[in-house]
Amino acid sequence: MASLQAPMYAHMRSGQNISLAESVPPEIMHMIDPYWYQWPPMEPMWFGIIGFVITVLGIMSLSGNFIVMYIFTSSKALRTPSNMFVVNLAFSDFCMMFTMFPPVVLNGFYGTWIMGPFMCELYGLFGSLFGCVSIWSMTLIAYDRYCVIVKGMARKPLTVTSAVVRLLIVWLICGIWALLPLFGWNRYVPEGNMTACGTDYFAKDWWNRSYIIVYSMWVYFTPLLTIIFSYYHIMKAVAAHEKAMREQAKKMNVASLRNSEADKSKAIEIKLAKVALTTIALWFFAWTPYTIINYSGIFESMHLSPLSTICGSVFAKANAVCNPIVYGLSHPRYKLVLKEKMPCLACGKEEPVTDSRTMATTEISESAA
């Protein structure tokens, strides 16, 4: 450990002419893809900037997602089957930042990955697992909104058991995908500026390339298509509902029917759908650059620099900050409970919750009984 008493980018100050890949400790040299040997070490300034940004994001994500988990689990009104997906999303985002940002900051101080091969593989595994669970949690939220708004009373009510089963399936499949690189289908290696680890998207053989292609179908394209399907039909149903309301109001010769209880319930569900859509849109813009980086690597279609790849990785992790902010600002019941339990954090105009039964799928069914 004597070699770690000073930052690893000290060779830059001494004028040594070595590549970025050659600055790593000897025990992980075998993990470095030959692609990175063409790049000189990054300027120390960039390590400081990235470390500062990821620290701010990490603190915001950990505190924000912890508050979401606490509020949703401590309030009886929020402990509904639908909101289990929200809690699971906050939990996976919390775990992702808890395991991701401290190593990036520590390794950034030394200018390279100093935590050894095993921790590199563990870092890559956690990033893959929690990132995958997050997107599928948001997919479940989108599909649940689709069932509530589009199918309405015709759907089978979501129960605690069915919600738990769905989440267990997501964790199981995501866990299998995250473990596969440890058993020879692709591998986890240092990437970018050598302060983080991920899948080897510069592998030249199609066996390893196929992992990224097939995995992206599960973790990116399939959820994306499911989300598009859900929200297309949600918006279609909303438009039809609005048209029907206008026609009914015209027949009754009144300005609006929006004071009816059914319409108020629908309005709340539509607002919650917008919350989910906003969250998923933020995820899309956060993870798309990293997906492009992976595909650019396996198809050699873009000259990727260490700075661009590590920025893509940090940008993806920033999504873990957005989710608690979106739900905290847009969920009326959440804000009411937050004001009650943590008044110092509550802000903004309090919104009346017309019918609390519309806040969960099963409770809507009960309101129709």
Side-chain angles (χ1 to χ4, degrees), residues 242-255:
E242 293 295 323
K243 182 180 179 181
M245 290 298 298
R246 288 193 299 268
E247 292 177 352
Q248 186 68 15
K250 185 177 180 180
K251 290 179 181 179
M252 297 179 64
N253 196 26
V254 296

Side-chain angles (χ1 to χ4, degrees), residues 65-109:
N65 284 294
F66 177 80
I67 291 172
V68 169
M69 288 188 290
Y70 170 71
I71 295 298
F72 273 88
T73 56
S74 62
S75 171
K76 185 178 180 180
L78 290 175
R79 290 199 297 267
T80 65
S82 294
N83 285 340
M84 291 176 66
F85 302 143
V86 179
V87 174
N88 192 70
L89 173 62
F91 177 73
S92 60
D93 283 341
F94 179 91
C95 291
M96 182 168 69
M97 271 301 187
F98 183 79
T99 56
M100 298 288 102
F101 101 83
V104 172
V105 175
L106 175 63
N107 292 313
F109 175 77

